[in-house]
Amino acid sequence: MNADPAVQLRLLDVQAVDQRLDQLAHRRRTLPEAAELETLAAEHSRLRDAEVVAGTAVADLEREQKRADAEVEQVRARKDRDQKRLDAGQVSSAKELESLQSEIASLNRRQGVLEDAEIEIMERLEVAQNEAAALGAERESVGKKAQEVQAARDAAWAQLDADAASARAERDELAGGIPADLLALYEKIRADRGGIGAAALRQRRCEGCMIQLDAAELGRIRGLAPDLVVRHEECRRILIRTPESGL
Ligand SMILES: [Zn+2]
């Protein structure tokens, strides 16, 4: 394959822009803000699930408290009714009086037990409410942080996209002056060789693989026509001769 030496040099400019584009794409893929946002989103989702569980526990305890309250109320009402009968002097027989007094005493004990249980439920309810509130506050704070990080990520992406668009425009202009067959060869080698398809021969060294060319290969290249497209035997990349090649 043949190409004017100036066109071959231009291939090095295309190579430089392509590397810049690769770096921009790499930075876009590995942006720390994007990774941080993923972590925050997972944390937000975990907190939301925990909040649902805590909310269910609160609702259960509220129901339990209502039930306990109703039970206490029931015992108290029955005790009041007994007490009224006692106070009204409606009970005449000693046996009935004794039975009524015994029932009141038993209801008093029952009320005490139920009230203790209710207090315990209320304490558990308070703990559950505090936990639900703390989870809600934490979720809100994580959500706020996620919004900030998302804004930073989007701004970074926008900047990288703008840089890539201008690099692509530059590349299109540079590549426009290169014959299609040379460009296709360059792109094929670039795809096979870690993003570098064309390299300068500088100070007797291939800048694609950084290997120093031996005297025999330098001699061979020295003898070639300037417009011949040369490949480095070691790495198979297009080797571009420059004034600093050391030939
Ligand atoms: Zn090489």
Side-chain angles (χ1 to χ4, degrees):
M1 193 181 292
N2 293 69
D4 186 88
V7 168
Q8 291 194 34
L9 280 173
R10 181 176 277 223
L11 199 54
L12 287 179
D13 297 334
V14 171
Q15 174 69 74
V17 177
D18 277 342
Q19 270 173 283
R20 205 158 79 228
L21 279 165
D22 288 347
Q23 281 162 4
L24 288 168
H26 176 77
R27 273 169 61 196
R28 201 185 197 288
R29 276 195 310 274
T30 58
L31 206 65
E33 286 90 342
E36 194 187 353
L37 186 60
E38 266 181 46
T39 306
L40 287 168
E43 179 66 357
H44 192 262
S45 152
R46 186 191 69 76
L47 286 165
R48 205 177 41 219
D49 290 350
E51 214 183 338
V52 169
V53 172
T56 304
V58 168
D60 287 349
L61 285 165
E62 279 170 349
R63 257 196 310 278
E64 231 180 288
Q65 194 210 339
K66 256 184 209 156
R67 204 158 47 222
D69 205 33
E71 274 174 352
V72 169
E73 209 37 60
Q74 212 176 5
V75 170
R76 191 182 288 137
R78 194 163 154 200
K79 203 180 69 183
D80 286 353
R81 202 179 57 219
D82 286 355
Q83 191 65 47
K84 266 184 197 140
R85 278 182 68 203
L86 203 64
D87 294 348
Q90 287 169 345
V91 182
S92 48
S93 97
K95 199 178 167 198
E96 207 184 330
L97 191 68
E98 196 187 327
S99 150
L100 199 56
Q101 281 168 336
S102 149
E103 184 175 289
I104 288 172
S106 153
L107 286 169
N108 264 331
R109 282 193 301 276
R110 174 91 183 122
Q111 188 181 341
V113 168
L114 287 173
E115 280 173 349
D116 285 351
E118 194 184 6
I119 286 168
E120 197 220 307
I121 291 165
M122 283 163 79
E123 281 166 359
R124 279 164 58 207
L125 177 60
E126 200 188 337
V127 169
Q129 281 168 334
N130 287 342
E131 197 190 328
L135 284 166
E138 201 184 343
R139 178 186 47 74
E140 264 183 43
S141 136
V142 167
K144 213 169 144 190
K145 177 80 183 149
Q147 276 181 344
E148 287 166 15
V149 172
Q150 187 172 353
R153 181 205 63 181
D154 290 349
W157 272 356
Q159 183 60 58
L160 289 169
D161 289 347
D163 290 350
S166 96
R168 261 192 302 274
E170 193 185 332
R171 194 222 189 252
D172 287 349
E173 204 185 322
L174 287 167
I178 294 169
D181 57 350
L182 179 58
L183 202 59
L185 177 66
Y186 156 77
E187 270 158 9
K188 188 188 174 304
I189 300 169
R190 185 174 125 75
D192 293 345
R193 301 271 155 189
I196 299 177
L201 175 61
R202 196 165 276 136
Q203 313 295 345
R204 302 177 178 183
R205 192 186 291 275
C206 163
E207 293 204 322
C209 62
M210 301 315 283
I211 288 175
Q212 186 107 30
L213 275 64
D214 62 28
E217 198 173 5
L218 283 169
R220 177 183 74 86
I221 292 171
R222 205 177 290 124
L224 297 172
D227 65 344
L228 192 78
V229 174
V230 180
R231 306 273 296 271
H232 183 202
E233 282 181 356
E234 287 284 345
C235 70
R236 304 303 299 145
R237 292 187 176 94
I238 299 169
L239 203 52
I240 313 283
R241 284 159 287 175
T242 71
E244 301 90 47
S245 286
L247 286 169

